[in-house]
Amino acid sequence: GFGANPDMVVKYKPELEGFGTTNHKGATGDAFAWIEKFGGALTQMDEIQTHPTVVPGNGLMITEAVRGNGAIMVNREGNRFCSEMATRDVMSKAILNQTGKTAYLVFDMGVRKSLKAIEGYVKQGLLTEGETPEALAQKLGIPAESFASTIASYNQIQASGNDAEFGRKASEMPRSLTEGPYYAVEVGPAIHHTMGGIKITPNAEVLDTNGNVI
């Protein structure tokens, strides 16, 4: 893969300029330069997947299980803006359309107790904590009234099992957000998978740019 090579990423997908990455520093795609020497063909190099919930600046990925266990996403206005269980590309695009191009992943103690992975985020100091939604909003610098209203509205949606505005399924809303303290972590999309690579036959024979086996 080449997710940690920003120049190569932008070469194949210019709209990803400036994105961070979840990849290790060695994911720089060196092999793609090697095969140019003997005319090796590449395929689907622009197929690059982003992960929507990555901590800006450090590449630490917040697992999708946090959302799966009941967390919601809010913007800097304190509002939800899409189904939290949308596919990675849809969620990434939705976040980039928000003020500041990041959002906050929000959950309560109930979600925290349901998922062991969250304890790792606590130890890494990634979470902002507030005893109430209003207290958390104040720490985040977002409108407390809107944020508290969003939490209350989501709890009603969760109880009814009907997310009429964004379409999150009842099975994707396993618990309400009613048990303080409340937590948030700022997240945004980052490059996660580069799916393209060297073009081969079904027998794993490398093809050149003319379609011939090398």
Side-chain angles (χ1 to χ4, degrees), residues 35-63:
I35 73 159
E36 287 179 4
K37 296 175 182 178
F38 47 86
L42 302 179
T43 184
Q44 301 179 11
M45 295 292 282
D46 61 340
E47 297 294 339
I48 299 172
Q49 183 187 120
T50 59
H51 194 289
T53 54
V54 178
V55 180
N58 66 13
L60 290 173
M61 184 182 72
I62 306 299
T63 176

Side-chain angles (χ1 to χ4, degrees), residues 19 52 56 76 92 94-103 186-189:
F19 271 51
R76 282 175 170 76
S92 293
I95 292 172
L96 292 175
N97 285 332
Q98 306 309 307
T99 304
K101 298 185 184 299
T102 60
E186 184 181 0
V187 293

Side-chain angles (χ1 to χ4, degrees), residues 162-183:
N162 180 28
D163 183 7
E165 186 173 6
F166 299 116
R168 185 168 176 172
K169 298 174 184 176
S171 61
E172 298 170 344
M173 300 185 288
R175 52 181 54 81
S176 61
L177 302 177
T178 54
E179 184 181 351
Y182 292 81
Y183 304 92

Side-chain angles (χ1 to χ4, degrees), residues 62-71 105 107 111 115 118 121 168:
I62 306 299
T63 176
E64 288 163 332
V66 178
R67 282 176 281 142
N69 281 30
L105 185 61
F107 53 94
V111 175
L115 188 62
I118 292 175
Y121 307 143
R168 185 168 176 172

Side-chain angles (χ1 to χ4, degrees), residues 34-200:
W34 301 341
I35 73 159
E36 287 179 4
K37 296 175 182 178
F38 47 86
L42 302 179
T43 184
Q44 301 179 11
M45 295 292 282
D46 61 340
E47 297 294 339
I48 299 172
Q49 183 187 120
T50 59
H51 194 289
T53 54
V54 178
V55 180
N58 66 13
L60 290 173
M61 184 182 72
I62 306 299
T63 176
E64 288 163 332
V66 178
R67 282 176 281 142
N69 281 30
I72 63 172
M73 297 280 289
V74 302
N75 56 24
R76 282 175 170 76
E77 288 70 46
N79 302 317
R80 291 177 70 215
F81 52 89
C82 71
S83 168
E84 290 81 3
M85 299 307 294
T87 55
R88 288 175 175 178
D89 56 334
V90 171
M91 176 64 79
S92 293
K93 185 176 181 180
I95 292 172
L96 292 175
N97 285 332
Q98 306 309 307
T99 304
K101 298 185 184 299
T102 60
Y104 294 103
L105 185 61
V106 175
F107 53 94
D108 70 346
M109 178 56 81
V111 175
R112 177 178 172 178
K113 289 191 293 189
S114 77
L115 188 62
K116 187 176 180 181
I118 292 175
E119 299 310 309
Y121 307 143
V122 174
K123 291 177 181 178
Q124 291 172 295
L126 301 178
L127 306 183
T128 301
E129 178 180 336
E131 284 301 317
T132 64
E134 292 84 356
L136 179 57
Q138 186 174 12
K139 287 186 176 182
L140 297 175
I142 64 178
E145 187 174 340
S146 295
F147 182 68
S149 177
T150 294
I151 296 290
S153 174
Y154 176 77
N155 287 335
Q156 292 178 341
I157 291 167
Q158 190 274 337
S160 71
N162 180 28
D163 183 7
E165 186 173 6
F166 299 116
R168 185 168 176 172
K169 298 174 184 176
S171 61
E172 298 170 344
M173 300 185 288
R175 52 181 54 81
S176 61
L177 302 177
T178 54
E179 184 181 351
Y182 292 81
Y183 304 92
V185 54
E186 184 181 0
V187 293
I191 293 156
H192 192 49
H193 284 301
T194 55
M195 275 91 77
I198 299 170
K199 194 168 186 178
I200 60 173

